[in-house]
Amino acid sequence: TERLASNGVWLISHEYGNSSFWSFPITSMGIGQPVITSIGSDHSFTNPSQTEGYMKMGPLGNVAVALGSPGSNNWLEVFDFDNATGILSNYRMVDLNESAGQVYGVEFSPGGNKLFATVKGSPTPSFIYEYSIDSVTQLHFKQKVSQPQELGALQIGPDGQIYMAVNGSSSLGLILANEDTTQLSTFNLAGFALAGGTNSTLGLPSFAQSTGSPLTTPGMSVAGFCFGTPMDYAAIPSDPIDTFLWGFGDGATSDLQMGQHL
């Protein structure tokens, strides 16, 4: 299925014919039994094109799904995701107000302040949509950009860039995401050249592009600075970090679990 996403802790999929998300926990033992949340619209399989479109997890605990009925309407569905329970909540529907083509790719910006989507033409023109996400996770339309080529999937790469499939092109497009919600992002249809003799189609591989990165970074506090007397080091954790490796420049290290002192 194209509607498959992961953040390394959960694997999320969706049933066809109903509104059920399946959240599978991922542990060192493998993939566990799913937590099922019925929310949002039914994902119909009566029309094959209605089964197409990507699903992505964002870095700020949200999920976006591209849904459409070609020739009728296209929309995005956005949810909050509880990383502790696997439950989705706070359903929002974003109408793209575009009946031509089909919404296909969807991706959050690396910092989570923007959401992008592509509507692939038949075959052209295609459109790129940009939305900002405010502090209460509401979405606000920023821009709609027409492109002369058929656009497909969106995917954040290991380098933090958002890549865009351009059907038949010898290059992938790039979205240069501007995390400033008051500003617009820019796009480059020929931003990444592919290997010689190869062309893009519509898809890009899904993988765990969101790892639940914390909003704050870890730190430590130190008490006691007199020479020859004990010093107390305390780790200030930042989820998902639960173990610190301490080094003091003397060639020795020490593992410290969250909540312990050294």
Side-chain angles (χ1 to χ4, degrees):
T1 175
E2 291 175 332
R3 295 186 184 133
L4 192 70
S6 175
N7 65 359
V9 179
W10 295 92
L11 173 68
I12 305 178
S13 188
H14 198 286
E15 283 194 75
Y16 286 130
N18 59 33
S19 63
S20 296
F21 286 89
W22 289 46
S23 302
F24 297 86
I26 302 173
T27 70
S28 59
M29 301 299 294
I31 299 176
Q33 293 300 308
V35 175
I36 301 175
T37 308
S38 294
I39 189 172
S41 65
D42 292 345
H43 290 200
S44 173
F45 54 81
T46 56
N47 184 333
S49 61
Q50 289 180 310
T51 66
E52 299 177 0
Y54 279 75
M55 174 168 66
K56 294 295 177 68
M57 301 182 73
L60 301 182
N62 36 28
V63 174
V65 188
L67 288 165
S69 181
S72 177
N73 60 330
N74 292 284
W75 67 96
L76 303 174
E77 295 192 346
V78 183
F79 310 86
D80 292 346
F81 182 76
D82 190 326
N83 207 48
T85 65
I87 295 174
L88 289 88
S89 61
N90 192 22
Y91 164 56
R92 289 93 78 201
M93 192 275 283
V94 180
D95 190 344
L96 300 183
N97 294 310
E98 178 59 61
S99 60
Q102 180 179 5
V103 62
Y104 191 71
V106 63
E107 186 61 279
F108 292 91
S109 62
N113 293 333
K114 297 285 183 69
L115 179 64
F116 301 93
T118 56
V119 173
K120 62 185 181 76
S122 53
T124 57
S126 293
F127 302 99
I128 306 171
Y129 285 78
E130 178 179 4
Y131 291 87
S132 63
I133 304 174
D134 65 23
S135 60
V136 292
T137 70
Q138 295 303 307
L139 280 79
H140 305 276
F141 175 78
K142 299 299 295 185
Q143 65 173 328
K144 171 186 174 182
V145 179
S146 176
Q147 298 290 345
Q149 294 174 268
E150 188 178 18
L151 304 180
L154 300 175
Q155 176 64 51
I156 291 183
D159 57 359
Q161 296 288 328
I162 301 177
Y163 291 87
M164 178 167 51
V166 183
N167 197 20
S169 173
S170 60
S171 300
L172 295 179
L174 283 180
I175 294 179
L176 307 176
N178 190 330
E179 298 286 359
D180 186 338
T181 58
T182 67
Q183 302 296 317
L184 299 178
S185 300
T186 57
F187 316 102
N188 183 353
L189 278 186
F192 182 82
L194 298 174
T198 63
N199 292 317
S200 170
T201 54
L202 287 172
L204 289 173
S206 293
F207 60 94
Q209 74 279 3
S210 173
T211 57
S213 298
L215 294 178
T216 57
T217 57
M220 72 176 183
S221 63
V222 182
F225 291 95
C226 293
F227 181 76
T229 61
M231 296 179 67
D232 187 56
Y233 295 84
I236 302 171
S238 178
D239 183 66
I241 297 171
D242 58 8
T243 301
F244 291 81
L245 182 65
W246 298 81
F248 296 92
D250 57 0
T253 60
S254 176
D255 285 322
L256 184 68
Q257 300 298 315
M258 195 161 58
Q260 294 179 320
H261 290 255
L262 184 67

